[in-house]
Amino acid sequence: MKNNDYSSLEHTWSQVDDYLNQLLIPSDPLLEQTLRRNTEAGLPAHDVAPNQGKFLQLLLQIHGSARVLEIGTLGAYSTIWMARALPEHGKIVTLEADPHHAEIARTNLVQAGLIDKVDLRIGPALTTLPDVQEDYREPFDLIFIDADKPSNPDYLRWALRLSRPGSLIIGDNIVRDGEVIHAESTDPRVQGVRQFLKLIADHPRLEATALQTVGSKGYDGLVIARVIA
């Protein structure tokens, strides 16, 4: 496909996202301010799209999730979407490696009035997850993995330790503009995703599916796995 053809497709995907978001997702000044604050603070534009945030929110509500673990906070845009779906006693533990990102995330959560529902932990996830395991003895109902892709296999192993039969594990950004099909890729993010998906496919405690997505965030996808007995 020529570059100009791909650019035309991306433009169409974004227009369709805009149409669907305007139709189905009411304008939300607080979430819009969150995205503006993230941009002004120089955070990378890796937030989920509004329709993806709403998807996560609906998934929590459908599943009845009360205990949520998020690996990769960024500016807490997805955290806010999910925290709004929690029951009164619900809690999200969210892990962010970058102190600057975490500072912006905390500001956003305070502005959203959700800081009491969120346990924001700073530091590389693989160093903070042992503390999470120690502090939260009950398993998590839903685990959202959206951080550095080379570590995805390790994040999955931790997710399995911290989950129960019926828990959902969601991994974002797994298609990588289609690069995920290339076994010979030298991109560590692609290889991390490939190993992650293979571990899910081979694990006897997981049943899963994956979906390709197009939209304002480009061409990507997500995997949803359910922990079984």
Side-chain angles (χ1 to χ4, degrees):
M1 183 181 295
K2 296 179 180 178
N3 287 339
N4 57 338
D5 293 334
Y6 190 78
S7 296
S8 177
L9 280 174
E10 285 190 306
H11 180 65
T12 300
W13 299 339
S14 292
Q15 286 184 315
V16 172
D17 258 9
D18 289 343
Y19 165 72
L20 294 174
N21 289 338
Q22 290 171 17
L23 188 66
L24 298 173
I25 304 175
S27 175
D28 190 319
L30 190 144
L31 282 168
E32 292 161 7
Q33 177 58 40
T34 295
L35 290 178
R36 284 195 296 271
R37 187 177 290 114
N38 291 352
T39 300
E40 291 165 2
L43 272 60
H46 295 162
D47 307 279
V48 300
N51 50 358
Q52 294 168 340
K54 184 68 173 181
F55 171 77
L56 289 170
Q57 187 179 85
L58 287 171
L59 198 58
L60 262 70
Q61 291 168 330
I62 293 166
H63 186 245
S65 300
R67 296 177 299 278
V68 176
L69 173 63
E70 179 182 47
I71 302 176
T73 315
L74 195 60
Y77 181 74
S78 56
T79 320
I80 292 171
W81 274 108
M82 292 189 289
R84 286 177 167 181
L86 291 173
E88 185 175 350
H89 64 284
K91 194 82 170 182
I92 292 184
V93 180
T94 185
L95 312 179
E96 175 53 50
D98 188 299
H100 174 59
H101 296 176
E103 179 184 356
I104 302 304
R106 186 174 298 279
T107 298
N108 288 332
L109 290 165
V110 169
Q111 291 296 315
L114 293 168
I115 193 65
D116 290 340
K117 283 190 171 293
V118 179
D119 180 357
L120 172 59
R121 302 202 172 198
I122 305 171
L126 294 179
T127 65
T128 57
L129 280 164
D131 292 333
V132 171
Q133 184 179 38
E134 180 67 24
D135 295 340
Y136 290 86
R137 296 305 178 94
E138 288 190 80
F140 290 95
D141 303 315
L142 184 145
I143 299 170
F144 181 45
I145 300 173
D146 189 18
D148 59 305
K149 306 312 171 196
S151 297
N152 268 13
D154 290 321
Y155 295 150
L156 178 64
R157 294 182 184 101
W158 270 104
L160 286 163
R161 292 181 198 130
L162 299 171
S163 58
R164 57 166 175 80
S167 294
L168 298 182
I169 301 171
I170 304 168
D172 201 11
N173 307 126
I174 63 160
V175 172
R176 318 298 307 175
D177 277 324
E179 290 300 309
V180 71
I181 66 173
H182 298 306
E184 73 284 359
S185 174
T186 58
D187 187 334
R189 296 168 298 182
V190 171
Q191 290 300 333
V193 167
R194 285 180 59 88
Q195 294 169 32
F196 175 59
L197 293 173
K198 186 68 165 60
L199 285 170
I200 291 173
D202 291 345
H203 204 286
R205 287 185 59 212
L206 294 174
E207 57 180 3
T209 190
L211 300 173
Q212 299 181 74
T213 60
V214 296
S216 59
K217 307 301 289 188
Y219 173 34
D220 217 320
L222 55 88
V223 60
I224 302 178
R226 178 175 174 270
V227 181
I228 57 178

